[in-house]
Amino acid sequence: MINARMARRALILIALIGLTGGIAVKFVAWPELAQWLWAAGAIPVVVSLAISIVSDLRAGRMGVDAVALLAMVAALALGEALAAIVVAVMYAGGAVLEDYAVGRAERDLRSLIDRAPRTAHRKTGESFEDIAIEEVAVGDTILVRAGEVVPVDGQIASPSASLDESAVTGEPIPVTRFAGEAARSGAINAGETFEMRASATAGESTYAGIVKMVSSAQTAKAPFIRMADRFALILLPVTLVVAGAAWFFSGDPIRALAVLVAATPCPLILAAPVAFIAGAAQAARRGILIKGGGPLEALARVYTVMFDKTGTLTVGGARLVAVEAAPGEEPDDLLRLVGSLEQASHHVVAAAIVSASVAKGLKLQIPEDVRETMGSGLEGVVEGRVVRAGSHQLVCGGSQMDSWAARALRRASWRSALSVFVSIDGRAAGALLLADELRPEAPRAIRALRAAGVARIVMVTGDRADSAETIGAALDLDAVLADRVPADKVEAVELEQRLHPTVMVGDGINDAPALAAADVGIAMGARGASASSEAADVVILVDQIDRVSDAVVIARRTRAIALQSIFAGMALSGVAMGAAAFGWLTPVAGALTQEAIDIAVILNALRALSPGGAQRRASMAESDALGLRQDHDRLNASLDRLRQIADALDDMDANSAVAYLAEANRIVAEEIVEHERADESYVYPQLLNLLSDSSGLFAMSRAHREILHMARLLGRLVDGLGPNDADRFLIRDGQRIIESIESLVRIHNAQEQDIYENAGSERIAEKR
């Protein structure tokens, strides 16, 4: 690549010297010497171009540069050396301009490779030594200084580390990782120096996988570019016919030469590759790596998108969804004790419980005398109490199931959740329900795909039908295919392919065969290189499913720009050929006209570097959008408590029910109602100035009124309520109101979050 570019620069330099030298000597009345200088400057370009065309012919390709070669050879044969050197300068200059345009477009992709670390600081005894990154072994302790790139994948050994993962994930805000958490290669240390323990070699690390994908994206040639070659094959015979006709009817071979010069096919040579590489670079900025031009063109024609469920449409891991406490137990105390115990386990469920405990701000203790029964549960001493967590059989033995335990199992069943029962000092105390959750951005991603022109969206998963149908209904998918093993997924993809161009999106090893089988396989690769990333044609480096629609929009816009450039270039060249045939353009003027066309085509193709030409709208300040999201996060804790109260009212005595209803009323009045009123009086007026369509806010205001109405109903029910008034019917009414408020506020918050994301986004809407 470097040698070829240097050769093209040498050719343009020789041609320019020949052109300027010839002009200079012509002014001092040495016309013959001028002709020789112009010819000498053109001949190296002619020879280089002839060699290139012969090489293409041997490889079974018809070089589209044949018209330029014919133009220069004819000009030299007819004694029009000036025309020959002008064509040579224009052609060689176009090649250099292409190098510049391609280099600019490749910059975002190449930066990933250029910034890859070359050395690492390995701990040896009490000191550190600099070693080549290839020498890092699993288990080595590595020092990462402030501002340095994390060299390999590993776990944080220091108490904490602040990492800028934007180059890997596309997210601009640094994240804090604590001891034991993963540090991915390619991230930048945005804080103080920290130590980490290598968990992979350089070649097996996240960044190495990304670099391989980038390299393949840079070197692949698209079928779309070959389509441009086919357009050029039409131009060659047309040019020869027009040039021959001009010569025949005028009797002047110079007119034929002018036609050949005006028809130099630079627009076709440059338009498609420049647009493709520019589109790939634009995708890279969004955290999307496209492995070549074939996937880019196929993505532009997609009709059906198929999604895996776990880890793709859902977060892909166990999440705490409910704490079912036994009568007399406090849910937070139960979670704190279990979270403390689970710190001693490496099980994925244990990690989820610990994370949920930390997220709620619970202070965990170090457990003692921990014993783990593989596949069944965990037992240990926390704060002097014997805590046991695991299956119902381990915790409760063969005793008769309590009503609360039966209720917990029933709720776990309809939520498709895993239940972890807990006992304290031998007494059953509650159960934790854990399940996979829908990604928050998934509904927005599905809407964006439909807006981008995708006609059919299908989910294909190995999960149970009831769980899959729940997700499918929530996202309004066109079809749900459940209980599918990898071979079944491939069969489903191939069936869709027979009807329409199909994209498959997945993240796991079991998705790799389906990703490879699809017209375009898209892997959610933010969690590191895997078999799915290797099999996929496109890798999403950001852990956000809405980037799939971004990839489709970018691909369609890139293809449209390339087609525009090709057709516009051919049309302009046709006009110039006609003018030359009628004698209105001399060979030199034709060459200059063609160069102007070339520049216009390249500039148009470079439009694919930008996200679009729509007007940029005002956006919410990042700090304001972040504050609104944090308000919702804080409100979620109150909603969790309302859910716990509603669940507990199932079998509660009158005295306890009155206290719980009063607590629910306080939460609703002091936290939820105040939050909704603040939204209505402060946030929504601000959003009116930012949204292109404010009609959605009026519907959201209607939800506010419904929430306030339900809050008034709860307040009336609780006002003056005593134990003597709390019969089972009144308790049931209160429970229903609380459940309605909790569900309505969660849905309302999710809708608001979509609006906040839209108002706070820095994207520019793409022109279709």
Side-chain angles (χ1 to χ4, degrees), residues 483-506:
D483 296 312
R484 302 299 173 106
V485 299
D488 296 332
K489 289 185 178 182
V490 171
E491 183 180 350
V493 168
E494 291 175 344
L495 180 61
E496 292 288 342
Q497 276 183 303
R498 295 189 188 104
L499 303 175
H500 302 287
T502 299
V503 167
M504 174 68 193
V505 187

Side-chain angles (χ1 to χ4, degrees), residues 45-99:
V45 179
V46 170
V47 172
S48 174
L49 187 53
I51 293 173
S52 175
I53 291 175
V54 170
S55 177
D56 285 343
L57 289 173
R58 287 179 175 176
R61 300 188 302 269
M62 178 60 187
V64 299
D65 304 335
V67 175
L69 179 63
L70 285 174
M72 286 185 284
V73 170
L76 291 172
L78 294 173
E80 293 286 339
L82 178 57
I85 190 64
V86 171
V87 173
V89 169
M90 297 300 105
Y91 187 83
V96 172
L97 188 58
E98 177 189 5
D99 288 342

Side-chain angles (χ1 to χ4, degrees), residues 38 185 208 255 273 287 340 363 524 573 601 708:
W38 289 332
S185 58
R255 286 199 185 185
S340 298
K363 188 175 181 180
M524 300 298 296
S573 293
V601 164
L708 295 178

Side-chain angles (χ1 to χ4, degrees), residues 325-356:
E329 297 291 342
E330 285 296 325
D332 283 354
D333 286 341
L334 184 67
L335 180 58
R336 179 175 56 82
L337 291 172
V338 180
S340 298
L341 175 65
E342 295 288 359
Q343 292 178 104
S345 175
H346 296 289
H347 195 279
V348 63
V349 171
I353 294 173
V354 172
S355 296

Side-chain angles (χ1 to χ4, degrees), residues 729-746:
F729 300 108
L730 184 144
I731 294 173
R732 174 61 68 183
D733 288 342
Q735 185 182 41
R736 287 172 176 168
I737 294 174
I738 294 169
E739 289 173 341
S740 298
I741 292 174
E742 186 259 345
S743 299
L744 180 57
V745 173
R746 287 191 189 276

Side-chain angles (χ1 to χ4, degrees), residues 384-705:
R385 290 182 282 183
V386 178
V387 180
R388 181 179 292 179
S391 64
H392 181 268
Q393 179 65 29
L394 173 71
V395 172
C396 302
S399 60
Q400 184 175 359
M401 187 177 298
D402 294 331
S403 59
W404 69 264
R407 183 179 67 239
L409 288 175
R410 183 173 65 253
R411 286 173 173 161
S413 176
W414 64 258
R415 287 178 175 173
S416 299
L418 170 70
S419 58
V420 177
F421 281 83
V422 183
S423 69
I424 301 174
D425 291 331
R427 173 179 48 82
L432 309 183
L433 305 188
L434 299 103
D436 197 6
E437 291 181 322
L438 187 67
R439 286 178 180 266
E441 75 275 12
R444 183 171 66 252
I446 298 301
R447 290 197 303 271
L449 277 173
R450 296 201 187 278
V454 174
R456 178 171 167 81
I457 302 178
V458 178
M459 181 171 69
V460 53
T461 177
D463 283 359
R464 303 186 310 275
D466 54 354
S467 176
E469 291 289 351
T470 300
I471 298 296
L475 296 175
D476 193 24
L477 303 181
D478 297 301
V480 174
L481 308 176
D483 296 312
R484 302 299 173 106
V485 299
D488 296 332
K489 289 185 178 182
V490 171
E491 183 180 350
V493 168
E494 291 175 344
L495 180 61
E496 292 288 342
Q497 276 183 303
R498 295 189 188 104
L499 303 175
H500 302 287
T502 299
V503 167
M504 174 68 193
V505 187
D507 79 312
I509 293 175
N510 64 329
D511 298 321
L515 294 176
D519 293 305
V520 180
I522 301 181
M524 300 298 296
R527 297 170 187 173
S530 65
S532 60
S533 296
E534 293 294 330
D537 304 296
V538 178
V539 180
I540 307 295
L541 299 177
V542 183
D543 197 20
Q544 289 185 292
I545 194 67
D546 54 359
R547 299 301 167 91
V548 174
S549 60
D550 290 347
V552 173
V553 169
I554 289 171
R556 290 189 170 173
R557 183 168 182 273
T558 298
R559 185 175 186 271
I561 288 173
L563 281 172
Q564 290 168 7
S565 299
I566 287 174
F567 290 136
M570 291 181 69
L572 291 173
S573 293
V575 172
M577 289 167 58
F582 284 101
W584 298 336
L585 284 179
T586 65
V588 174
L592 294 174
T593 301
Q594 184 60 51
E595 181 60 15
I597 295 172
D598 298 345
I599 293 173
V601 164
I602 290 173
L603 292 177
N604 186 68
L606 282 174
R607 287 172 47 229
L609 277 171
S610 67
Q615 292 292 322
R616 184 183 292 271
R617 56 171 172 77
S619 62
M620 180 183 293
E622 184 179 343
S623 58
D624 290 342
L626 180 60
L628 294 172
R629 289 193 291 270
Q630 290 173 341
D631 285 344
H632 280 174
D633 290 340
R634 286 190 289 269
L635 198 62
N636 283 338
S638 300
L639 296 175
D640 289 342
R641 181 56 184 161
L642 287 181
R643 180 188 290 172
Q644 293 170 358
I645 291 173
D647 290 346
L649 287 172
D650 274 348
D651 51 8
M652 190 169 285
D653 61 79
N655 285 321
S656 299
V658 170
Y660 270 53
L661 288 170
E663 181 186 356
N665 185 55
R666 180 190 60 77
I667 291 173
V668 171
E670 296 179 3
E671 299 180 35
I672 293 176
V673 169
E674 289 303 313
H675 173 83
E676 305 304 339
R677 284 177 174 164
D679 279 355
E680 191 69 35
S681 61
Y682 169 70
V683 178
Y684 282 19
Q686 181 184 7
L687 290 175
L688 281 172
N689 299 321
L690 304 178
L691 297 175
S692 57
D693 181 6
S694 59
S695 58
L697 287 182
F698 297 109
M700 302 300 288
S701 293
R702 175 67 181 86
H704 282 168
R705 292 194 293 274

